[in-house]
Amino acid sequence: MIKKTLKTVLILLSLSAGTAIAYDLCDFCTINYRTCINAKPGSPLYLPPAECLAIYEACKQENCPAP
C-alpha cells in the first residue's frame, strides 16, 4: 500500500515537473524531491517534509545504482 502510494505521488510529481524525459531516473528523484519540498500548503502536490524525504529515499533506493 505504501509503495503504491509513493509511486502514485512520484507520477504526479513527474507530471508537474515535466522533465522526466530529460533526466535519468536518479536525477528524476532529486527533481521530484525539490518539487515536493517547494510545494506550498494547499497545493495538490503539498506533502509534509518528512513524507517528501521518505519518497525521495525510496526513489533513490529503487532507481539509483549503489556507489
Side-chain angles (χ1 to χ4, degrees):
M1 176 73 177
I2 291 173
K3 197 169 191 176
K4 184 174 181 168
T5 302
L6 292 175
K7 284 186 178 188
T8 301
V9 170
L10 286 174
I11 289 169
L12 290 173
L13 290 173
S14 70
L15 292 174
S16 70
T19 56
I21 297 171
Y23 297 93
D24 67 30
L25 289 175
C26 204
D27 288 338
F28 176 68
C29 296
T30 303
I31 292 166
N32 281 338
Y33 177 69
R34 289 180 185 154
T35 302
C36 185
I37 288 296
N38 291 326
K40 303 291 182 209
S43 166
L45 298 176
Y46 176 76
L47 294 172
E51 286 186 47
C52 291
L53 184 59
I55 292 168
Y56 173 72
E57 289 175 350
C59 182
K60 292 287 267 188
Q61 185 178 23
E62 188 173 318
N63 296 307
C64 298

